DNA sequence: TAGGCCATCTGGTCCT
DNA sequence: AGGACCAGATGGCCTA
């Protein structure tokens, strides 16, 4: 995984930086801003840090303190949801990688981008659908020009096949279709 | 150096 | 209530 300067990136204003009636803004003479507002939590085996400091430095020498609920609790919750979000995005990326490996494309050193992967996958599905439709006269006696109708009929046919034959993989289904079209 | 792509953080909303 | 999902923002890396 690429190094992305974890912990240093600040997107929108963080909750600790936004105007909030529950916060007071007070100066802290002689103390470090970072020491005063930083919280670290161990998540997923690594330490993650949240800071209440704006990296532009416009609030140097000040500290925000939550009066009612615990700042640390909110930090912990935020870090936990960050971790979950990372895991979710990793799962999404794994799915993209699986998709890359499933679709045929010209192999280059450069891996397919996400948008390229989706576009190729869409085209690949369309091509397969066209091929299958051409082979499936027995199942789809009236070929229609409307691609969408054909596709939904094909799906219907596949679902019917699953009901009759149980869970089989697509290649088995295709060979059935092929033998249908050969026989008819 | 600009632009594309990406990882990450974040807060809002939806769902269970 | 808490987690999942989503979209905006930001900054790093890479390439033309």
């Amino acid at each position: 995984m690429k190094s992305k300067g974890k912990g240093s990136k600040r997107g929108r204003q963080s909750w600790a930086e936004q105007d909030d009636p529950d916060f007071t803004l007070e100066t802290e003479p002689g103390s470090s801003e970072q020491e005063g507002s930083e919280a670290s939590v161990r998540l997923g085996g690594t330490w993650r840090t949240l800071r209440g400091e704006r990296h532009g430095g416009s609030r140097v020498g000040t500290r925000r303190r939550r009066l009612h609920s615990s700042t640390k609790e909110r930090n912990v919750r935020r870090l936990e949801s960050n971790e979950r979000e990372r895991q979710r995005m990793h799962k999404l990326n794994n799915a993209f990688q699986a998709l890359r490996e499933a679709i045929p494309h010209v192999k280059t050193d450069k891996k397919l981008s996400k948008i390229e992967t989706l576009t190729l996958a869409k085209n690949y599905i369309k091509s397969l659908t066209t091929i299958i439709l051409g082979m499936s006269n027995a199942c789809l006696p009236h070929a229609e020009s409307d691609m969408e109708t054909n596709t939904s009929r094909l799906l219907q046919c596949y679902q019917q096949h699953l009901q009759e034959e149980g869970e089989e993989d697509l290649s088995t289904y295709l060979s059935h279709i092929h033998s249908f079209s050969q026989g008819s």
Side-chain angles (χ1 to χ4, degrees):
Chain A
M1 182 163 53
K2 281 194 281 188
S3 167
K4 291 287 178 182
K6 287 166 193 157
S8 63
K9 289 184 183 181
R10 309 295 294 168
R12 301 170 181 178
Q13 278 194 326
S14 75
W15 61 269
E17 297 164 344
Q18 293 172 334
D19 290 333
D20 181 333
D22 286 343
F23 278 118
T24 56
L25 188 62
E26 60 183 29
T27 58
E28 189 179 24
S31 73
S32 155
E33 163 63 18
Q34 292 193 2
E35 287 172 4
S37 58
E38 191 173 275
S40 297
V41 173
R42 190 172 178 77
L43 281 171
T46 58
W47 283 95
R48 305 273 175 183
T49 303
L50 260 188
R51 278 173 294 180
E53 177 202 18
R54 186 183 207 84
H55 60 288
S58 63
R59 286 179 182 158
V60 172
T62 64
R63 180 183 66 176
R64 288 207 151 192
R65 188 177 64 187
R66 178 164 284 278
L67 289 179
H68 304 305
S69 62
S70 160
T71 299
K72 203 161 189 174
E73 277 175 20
R74 291 197 67 176
N75 273 337
V76 170
R77 276 201 298 276
R78 207 342 105 189
L79 288 169
E80 284 172 347
S81 60
N82 286 352
E83 178 66 20
R84 282 193 299 275
E85 179 66 6
R86 272 195 300 275
Q87 295 304 321
R88 197 181 70 81
M89 295 310 295
H90 289 165
K91 277 192 214 168
L92 186 63
N93 287 338
N94 288 340
F96 264 106
Q97 187 52 39
L99 189 57
R100 274 184 199 106
E101 288 163 11
I103 55 179
H105 62 279
V106 179
K107 298 275 190 281
T108 60
D109 289 343
K110 181 175 155 291
K111 80 169 185 182
L112 291 174
S113 71
K114 291 178 178 179
I115 189 72
E116 286 168 339
T117 303
L118 290 178
T119 304
L120 275 178
K122 184 198 75 176
N123 292 340
Y124 184 45
I125 290 169
K126 275 190 171 181
S127 303
L128 288 180
T129 302
T130 304
I131 291 169
I132 292 171
L133 284 171
M135 290 164 44
S136 59
N137 291 342
C139 196
L140 302 167
H142 306 296
E144 296 176 36
S145 57
D146 179 19
M147 181 72 169
E148 200 170 319
T149 309
N150 281 343
T151 304
S152 66
R153 276 173 178 253
L154 187 60
L155 179 61
Q156 240 181 314
C157 180
Y158 181 48
Q159 285 168 341
Q160 184 187 340
H161 171 84
L162 286 181
Q163 279 179 356
E164 289 169 1
E165 309 289 335
E167 288 284 334
E168 293 183 54
D169 64 20
L170 187 59
S171 61
T172 312
Y173 170 68
L174 289 175
S175 68
H176 275 243
I177 289 219
H178 188 60
S179 60
F180 266 135
S181 63
Q182 296 290 311
S184 63

